[in-house]
Protein backbone atom coordinates (compact mmCIF):
# COMPACT_ATOMS: atom_id res chain seq x y z
CA UNK A 1 0.00 0.00 0.00
CA UNK A 2 2.61 2.53 1.12
CA UNK A 3 6.35 1.89 0.91
CA UNK A 4 9.70 3.45 0.08
CA UNK A 5 10.69 7.05 0.71
CA UNK A 6 7.72 9.07 1.96
CA UNK A 7 8.50 12.67 2.86
CA UNK A 8 7.43 14.43 6.04
CA UNK A 9 6.77 17.58 4.05
CA UNK A 10 7.65 21.01 5.43
CA UNK A 11 5.08 23.80 5.31
CA UNK A 12 6.73 26.75 3.53
CA UNK A 13 5.87 30.20 4.84
CA UNK A 14 6.35 33.63 3.29
CA UNK A 15 5.66 36.80 5.26
CA UNK A 16 4.06 34.62 7.92
CA UNK A 17 1.57 32.96 5.56
CA UNK A 18 1.57 29.57 3.83
CA UNK A 19 3.54 29.97 0.59
CA UNK A 20 1.29 28.16 -1.87
CA UNK A 21 3.46 28.55 -5.02
CA UNK A 22 6.46 27.18 -3.11
CA UNK A 23 4.38 24.28 -1.82
CA UNK A 24 3.50 23.39 -5.41
CA UNK A 25 7.18 23.49 -6.40
CA UNK A 26 8.09 21.21 -3.51
CA UNK A 27 5.42 18.67 -4.48
CA UNK A 28 6.78 18.59 -8.04
CA UNK A 29 10.34 18.31 -6.72
CA UNK A 30 9.42 15.20 -4.76
CA UNK A 31 7.43 13.54 -7.52
CA UNK A 32 10.37 14.00 -9.92
CA UNK A 33 12.86 12.61 -7.41
CA UNK A 34 11.28 9.31 -6.47
CA UNK A 35 9.33 10.17 -3.34
CA UNK A 36 6.52 7.61 -3.05
CA UNK A 37 4.10 9.53 -0.79
CA UNK A 38 3.67 13.05 0.56
CA UNK A 39 2.94 13.49 4.27
CA UNK A 40 1.86 17.09 4.99
CA UNK A 41 0.88 18.58 8.35
CA UNK A 42 3.00 16.38 10.56
CA UNK A 43 5.71 17.40 13.01
CA UNK A 44 7.99 18.59 10.20
CA UNK A 45 5.08 20.50 8.67
CA UNK A 46 4.67 22.55 11.88
CA UNK A 47 1.08 21.37 12.22
CA UNK A 48 0.96 22.55 15.84
CA UNK A 49 1.19 26.18 14.68
CA UNK A 50 -1.31 25.95 11.80
CA UNK A 51 -4.87 27.18 12.28
CA UNK A 52 -7.63 24.70 11.43
CA UNK A 53 -8.26 26.60 8.20
CA UNK A 54 -4.57 26.49 7.26
CA UNK A 55 -4.28 22.83 8.21
CA UNK A 56 -7.20 21.91 5.96
CA UNK A 57 -5.93 24.15 3.16
CA UNK A 58 -2.40 22.70 3.16
CA UNK A 59 -3.76 19.16 2.86
CA UNK A 60 -6.17 20.22 0.12
CA UNK A 61 -3.36 21.96 -1.79
CA UNK A 62 -0.94 19.05 -1.53
CA UNK A 63 -3.62 16.69 -2.87
CA UNK A 64 -4.33 19.16 -5.68
CA UNK A 65 -0.66 19.64 -6.58
CA UNK A 66 0.09 15.91 -6.43
CA UNK A 67 -2.50 15.33 -9.19
CA UNK A 68 -2.75 11.67 -8.30
CA UNK A 69 0.92 11.02 -9.12
CA UNK A 70 1.72 9.94 -5.57
CA UNK A 71 -0.59 9.36 -2.58
CA UNK A 72 -1.02 11.93 0.17
CA UNK A 73 -0.99 10.70 3.78
CA UNK A 74 -2.49 13.64 5.64
CA UNK A 75 -1.39 14.46 9.17
CA UNK A 76 -4.73 14.81 10.97
CA UNK A 77 -3.97 13.75 14.53
CA UNK A 78 -4.82 15.59 17.71
CA UNK A 79 -4.91 15.08 21.46
CA UNK A 80 -8.67 15.58 21.16
CA UNK A 81 -10.42 12.62 19.56
CA UNK A 82 -13.22 14.81 18.18
CA UNK A 83 -10.71 17.23 16.61
CA UNK A 84 -8.83 14.33 15.04
CA UNK A 85 -12.08 13.04 13.55
CA UNK A 86 -12.94 16.50 12.22
CA UNK A 87 -9.54 16.93 10.54
CA UNK A 88 -9.61 13.38 9.17
CA UNK A 89 -13.07 13.80 7.68
CA UNK A 90 -11.85 16.86 5.80
CA UNK A 91 -8.74 15.05 4.56
CA UNK A 92 -10.86 12.23 3.16
CA UNK A 93 -13.26 14.73 1.56
CA UNK A 94 -10.47 16.49 -0.37
CA UNK A 95 -8.91 13.25 -1.61
CA UNK A 96 -6.15 12.23 0.81
CA UNK A 97 -5.22 8.56 0.40
CA UNK A 98 -4.68 8.01 4.13
CA UNK A 99 -4.34 9.70 7.49
CA UNK A 100 -1.33 9.89 9.80
CA UNK A 101 -2.57 9.88 13.40
CA UNK A 102 -0.12 10.99 16.07
CA UNK A 103 -0.78 9.55 19.50
CA UNK A 104 -2.49 12.06 21.81
CA UNK A 105 0.01 14.43 23.38
CA UNK A 106 0.04 16.17 26.77
CA UNK A 107 -3.00 14.38 28.23
CA UNK A 108 -1.03 11.08 28.56
CA UNK A 109 -3.78 8.48 28.00
CA UNK A 110 -3.47 4.90 29.19
CA UNK A 111 -2.99 2.06 26.71
CA UNK A 112 -6.76 1.49 26.87
CA UNK A 113 -7.34 5.18 26.15
CA UNK A 114 -4.96 5.06 23.17
CA UNK A 115 -6.77 2.04 21.76
CA UNK A 116 -10.19 3.66 22.18
CA UNK A 117 -8.94 6.95 20.65
CA UNK A 118 -7.66 5.33 17.44
CA UNK A 119 -10.64 2.96 17.29
CA UNK A 120 -13.06 5.90 17.44
CA UNK A 121 -11.27 7.70 14.59
CA UNK A 122 -11.12 4.56 12.45
CA UNK A 123 -14.83 3.91 12.97
CA UNK A 124 -15.80 7.53 12.26
CA UNK A 125 -13.82 7.94 9.02
CA UNK A 126 -13.40 5.15 6.47
CA UNK A 127 -9.85 5.96 5.38
CA UNK A 128 -6.58 4.02 5.85
CA UNK A 129 -4.89 5.14 9.07
CA UNK A 130 -1.18 5.04 9.90
CA UNK A 131 -0.52 5.56 13.60
CA UNK A 132 2.42 7.77 14.58
CA UNK A 133 4.23 6.59 17.71
CA UNK A 134 6.64 9.23 19.03
CA UNK A 135 6.79 9.21 22.81
CA UNK A 136 9.57 11.83 22.87
CA UNK A 137 6.98 14.34 21.64
CA UNK A 138 3.78 12.97 23.13
CA UNK A 139 4.85 11.64 26.51
CA UNK A 140 3.26 8.20 25.99
CA UNK A 141 4.58 5.14 24.17
CA UNK A 142 2.13 2.88 22.33
CA UNK A 143 3.08 -0.63 23.42
CA UNK A 144 3.40 -3.54 20.96
CA UNK A 145 0.49 -5.30 22.66
CA UNK A 146 -1.70 -2.28 21.91
CA UNK A 147 -0.62 -2.33 18.27
CA UNK A 148 -1.57 -6.01 18.11
CA UNK A 149 -5.12 -5.02 19.09
CA UNK A 150 -5.21 -1.98 16.81
CA UNK A 151 -4.07 -4.06 13.84
CA UNK A 152 -7.37 -5.93 14.12
CA UNK A 153 -9.28 -2.79 13.07
CA UNK A 154 -9.68 -3.02 9.29
CA UNK A 155 -8.60 0.49 8.28
CA UNK A 156 -5.69 0.83 10.71
CA UNK A 157 -2.98 -0.23 8.28
CA UNK A 158 0.37 0.55 9.87
CA UNK A 159 2.62 2.56 12.14
CA UNK A 160 5.20 5.28 11.73
CA UNK A 161 7.54 4.14 14.50
CA UNK A 162 9.66 6.90 16.03
CA UNK A 163 10.49 5.32 19.37
CA UNK A 164 14.10 4.69 18.33
CA UNK A 165 13.73 1.23 19.87
CA UNK A 166 14.41 -1.53 17.34
CA UNK A 167 13.48 -4.22 19.86
CA UNK A 168 10.05 -2.66 20.22
CA UNK A 169 9.68 -2.41 16.45
CA UNK A 170 10.59 -6.08 16.06
CA UNK A 171 7.93 -6.95 18.63
CA UNK A 172 5.36 -4.91 16.68
CA UNK A 173 6.38 -6.66 13.47
CA UNK A 174 6.11 -10.06 15.19
CA UNK A 175 2.77 -9.45 16.89
CA UNK A 176 0.89 -7.82 14.00
CA UNK A 177 -0.32 -9.36 10.72
CA UNK A 178 2.13 -9.46 7.83
CA UNK A 179 0.18 -6.79 5.93
CA UNK A 180 0.43 -4.31 8.85
CA UNK A 181 2.97 -1.71 7.70
CA UNK A 182 6.04 -0.97 9.82
CA UNK A 183 7.37 2.41 8.69
CA UNK A 184 10.49 4.03 10.09
CA UNK A 185 10.01 7.47 11.60
CA UNK A 186 13.73 8.01 12.17
CA UNK A 187 16.08 8.63 9.23
CA UNK A 188 19.05 7.15 11.07
CA UNK A 189 17.20 3.84 11.49
CA UNK A 190 15.65 3.42 8.05
CA UNK A 191 18.00 0.65 6.92
CA UNK A 192 17.78 -1.31 10.20
CA UNK A 193 13.97 -1.03 10.13
CA UNK A 194 13.90 -2.32 6.54
CA UNK A 195 16.07 -5.22 7.70
CA UNK A 196 13.51 -6.31 10.32
CA UNK A 197 10.56 -6.16 7.95
CA UNK A 198 9.82 -2.46 7.57
CA UNK A 199 8.47 -1.10 4.29
CA UNK A 200 10.00 2.37 4.19
CA UNK A 201 10.49 5.72 5.89
CA UNK A 202 8.48 8.88 6.52
CA UNK A 203 11.56 11.00 6.19
CA UNK A 204 12.77 14.42 7.28
CA UNK A 205 16.05 14.38 5.33
CA UNK A 206 14.16 13.49 2.13
CA UNK A 207 13.06 17.13 2.09
CA UNK A 208 16.55 17.92 0.79
CA UNK A 209 17.86 14.63 -0.68
CA UNK A 210 14.74 12.81 -1.89
CA UNK A 211 16.50 10.85 -4.62
CA UNK A 212 19.11 9.35 -2.29
CA UNK A 213 16.54 8.26 0.29
CA UNK A 214 14.38 6.77 -2.46
CA UNK A 215 17.36 4.98 -3.99
CA UNK A 216 18.30 3.42 -0.65
CA UNK A 217 14.80 2.02 -0.19
CA UNK A 218 14.69 0.74 -3.78
CA UNK A 219 18.13 -0.87 -3.49
CA UNK A 220 17.11 -2.75 -0.35
CA UNK A 221 13.81 -3.88 -1.85
CA UNK A 222 15.67 -5.24 -4.90
CA UNK A 223 18.12 -7.14 -2.70
CA UNK A 224 21.08 -4.85 -3.31
CA UNK A 225 21.96 -4.56 0.36
CA UNK A 226 25.50 -3.34 -0.37
CA UNK A 227 24.22 -0.30 -2.28
CA UNK A 228 21.61 0.38 0.42
CA UNK A 229 24.36 0.27 3.08
CA UNK A 230 26.56 2.64 1.07
CA UNK A 231 23.74 5.16 0.78
CA UNK A 232 22.84 4.75 4.46
CA UNK A 233 26.36 5.53 5.64
CA UNK A 234 26.76 8.35 3.12
CA UNK A 235 23.62 10.04 4.43
CA UNK A 236 24.27 9.47 8.13
CA UNK A 237 26.27 12.68 8.88
CA UNK A 238 23.65 14.76 7.08
CA UNK A 239 20.88 12.99 8.99
CA UNK A 240 22.64 13.80 12.25
CA UNK A 241 22.79 17.47 11.23
CA UNK A 242 19.02 17.48 10.67
CA UNK A 243 18.49 16.92 14.38
CA UNK A 244 21.11 19.10 16.07
CA UNK A 245 18.18 21.29 17.07
CA UNK A 246 14.48 20.53 17.28
CA UNK A 247 12.93 19.40 14.00
CA UNK A 248 12.06 21.18 11.68
CA UNK A 249 14.48 23.98 12.52
CA UNK A 250 17.57 22.43 10.85
CA UNK A 251 15.80 21.05 7.77
CA UNK A 252 14.03 24.34 7.07
CA UNK A 253 17.30 26.22 7.55
CA UNK A 254 18.94 23.82 5.10
CA UNK A 255 16.14 24.33 2.59
CA UNK A 256 16.64 28.06 2.85
CA UNK A 257 20.36 27.69 2.18
CA UNK A 258 19.56 25.45 -0.80
CA UNK A 259 16.98 27.95 -2.13
CA UNK A 260 14.20 25.36 -1.93
CA UNK A 261 11.99 27.54 0.25
CA UNK A 262 12.10 30.46 2.64
CA UNK A 263 13.57 29.22 5.96
CA UNK A 264 10.91 31.02 7.99
CA UNK A 265 9.47 29.23 11.02
CA UNK A 266 6.58 30.02 13.31
CA UNK A 267 7.10 30.62 17.00
CA UNK A 268 7.87 28.86 19.22
CA UNK A 269 10.22 27.48 16.56
CA UNK A 270 13.03 30.00 16.00
CA UNK A 271 16.34 30.51 14.17
CA UNK A 272 19.22 28.15 14.86
CA UNK A 273 21.98 29.00 17.30
CA UNK A 274 24.99 30.30 15.32
CA UNK A 275 27.27 27.43 16.37
CA UNK A 276 24.71 24.85 15.26
CA UNK A 277 24.11 26.66 12.00
CA UNK A 278 27.84 26.39 11.30
CA UNK A 279 27.68 22.63 11.84
CA UNK A 280 24.69 22.38 9.52
CA UNK A 281 26.43 24.41 6.82
CA UNK A 282 29.49 22.18 7.09
CA UNK A 283 27.33 19.04 6.67
CA UNK A 284 25.57 20.53 3.63
CA UNK A 285 28.90 21.46 2.06
CA UNK A 286 30.33 17.99 2.71
CA UNK A 287 27.30 16.51 0.94
CA UNK A 288 27.77 19.06 -1.89
CA UNK A 289 24.29 20.50 -1.46
CA UNK A 290 25.55 24.08 -1.19
Amino acid sequence: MFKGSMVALVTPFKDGLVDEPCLERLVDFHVKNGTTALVPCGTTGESATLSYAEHDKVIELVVKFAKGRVPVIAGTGSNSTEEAIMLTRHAKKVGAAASLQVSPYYNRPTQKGLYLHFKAIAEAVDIPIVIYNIASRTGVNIEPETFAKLAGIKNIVGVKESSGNLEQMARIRRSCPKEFLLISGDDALTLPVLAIGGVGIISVVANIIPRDVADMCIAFEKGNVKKAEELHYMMLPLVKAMFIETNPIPVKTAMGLMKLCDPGLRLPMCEMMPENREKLVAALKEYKLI
Side-chain angles (χ1 to χ4, degrees), residues 12 52 96 101 109 167 185 190 213 216 226 230 245 249 260:
Y52 288 133
Q101 289 288 336
E167 185 265 345
T190 303
V213 181
M216 181 180 67
K226 182 179 179 182
E230 288 172 356
E245 287 191 11
I249 296 171
L260 290 171

Side-chain angles (χ1 to χ4, degrees), residues 182-252:
L182 174 62
I183 302 168
S184 175
D186 184 339
D187 281 292
L189 293 179
T190 303
L191 186 57
V193 172
L194 291 172
I196 63 169
V199 297
I201 170 74
I202 295 178
S203 171
V204 173
V205 77
N207 278 284
I208 57 174
I209 52 167
R211 176 57 64 185
D212 288 348
V213 181
D215 284 350
M216 181 180 67
C217 293
I218 292 167
F220 187 89
E221 184 180 13
K222 290 184 175 180
N224 191 345
V225 177
K226 182 179 179 182
K227 181 179 178 182
E229 286 180 353
E230 288 172 356
L231 288 164
H232 169 75
Y233 287 114
M234 181 179 77
M235 290 187 285
L236 211 51
L238 186 63
V239 167
K240 183 178 180 181
M242 290 300 99
F243 299 95
I244 53 177
E245 287 191 11
T246 305
N247 179 44
I249 296 171
V251 71
K252 260 202 161 176

